């Protein structure tokens, strides 16, 4: 990486795809969001499906109202909302690790992957489009 003023500044990031697992015992996962963390940029972002009709079409039989509340709660933690509980007040790295911790629930994250980007927010949008559509 060059230090020239016009060279790109690459930022390392980690991300995970957020999935709905309607029947955890079967393991079928339906992607509904992406969580991205760039530690050196102090960035954490989450992008999730918010349209109840789209969620119902992708995950038939799931309580969509409850799912939307769960997704809103995860988004509030990622954004560090003051009313989202003590986890939301933690540093970005700790919030990311909490959000991506393995769980046996209807809402789960896949494996954490890494990459390089010049702009974490734009990368989050690109990943969301690629994995969730």
């Amino acid at each position: 990486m060059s230090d020239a003023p016009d060279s790109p500044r690459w930022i390392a990031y980690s991300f995970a795809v957020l999935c709905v697992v309607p029947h955890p015992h079967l393991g079928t996962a339906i992607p509904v969001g992406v969580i991205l963390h760039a530690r050196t940029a102090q960035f954490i972002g989450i992008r999730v499906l918010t349209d109840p009709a789209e969620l119902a079409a992708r995950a038939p039989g799931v309580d969509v109202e409850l799912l939307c509340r769960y997704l809103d709660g995860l988004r509030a933690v990622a954004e560090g909302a003051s009313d989202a509980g003590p986890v939301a007040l933690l540093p970005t790295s700790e919030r990311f690790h909490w959000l991506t911790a393995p769980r046996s629930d209807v809402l789960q994250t896949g494996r954490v992957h890494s990459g390089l980007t010049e702009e974490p927010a734009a990368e989050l949008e690109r990943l969301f489009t690629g994995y969730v559509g």
Side-chain angles (χ1 to χ4, degrees), residues 2 5 9 13-14 22 29 34 37 53-54 62 65 74-75 79 81 83 87 108 120-121 125-126:
S2 170
R9 179 176 169 255
Y13 68 89
S14 299
V34 175
H37 176 244
E54 179 69 21
V62 170
E65 184 179 319
L74 293 177
R75 185 173 39 220
E79 293 172 354
D83 62 347
V87 174
Q108 300 180 18
E125 290 302 316
R126 188 188 72 74

Side-chain angles (χ1 to χ4, degrees), residues 51-122:
D51 179 26
E54 179 69 21
L55 288 167
R58 290 187 186 212
V62 170
D63 182 339
V64 174
E65 184 179 319
L66 182 60
L67 178 59
C68 287
R69 286 199 314 260
Y70 283 160
L71 290 169
D72 286 340
L74 293 177
R75 185 173 39 220
V77 168
E79 293 172 354
S82 61
D83 62 347
V87 174
L89 304 177
L90 295 172
T92 59
S93 291
E94 292 180 45
R95 281 185 273 150
F96 179 75
H97 292 296
W98 184 86
L99 289 164
T100 59
R103 36 180 70 86
S104 304
D105 202 351
V106 172
L107 215 45
Q108 300 180 18
T109 56
R111 289 182 167 167
V112 174
H113 302 279
S114 60
L116 293 172
T117 186
E118 294 180 53
E119 176 51 51

Side-chain angles (χ1 to χ4, degrees), residues 18 32-36 45-50 75 124-125 128-129 132-133:
L18 183 60
V32 295
V34 175
I35 304 165
L36 185 140
I46 186 169
R47 177 88 156 74
V48 296
L49 284 178
T50 56
R75 185 173 39 220
L124 175 61
E125 290 302 316
F128 180 82
T129 300
V132 180

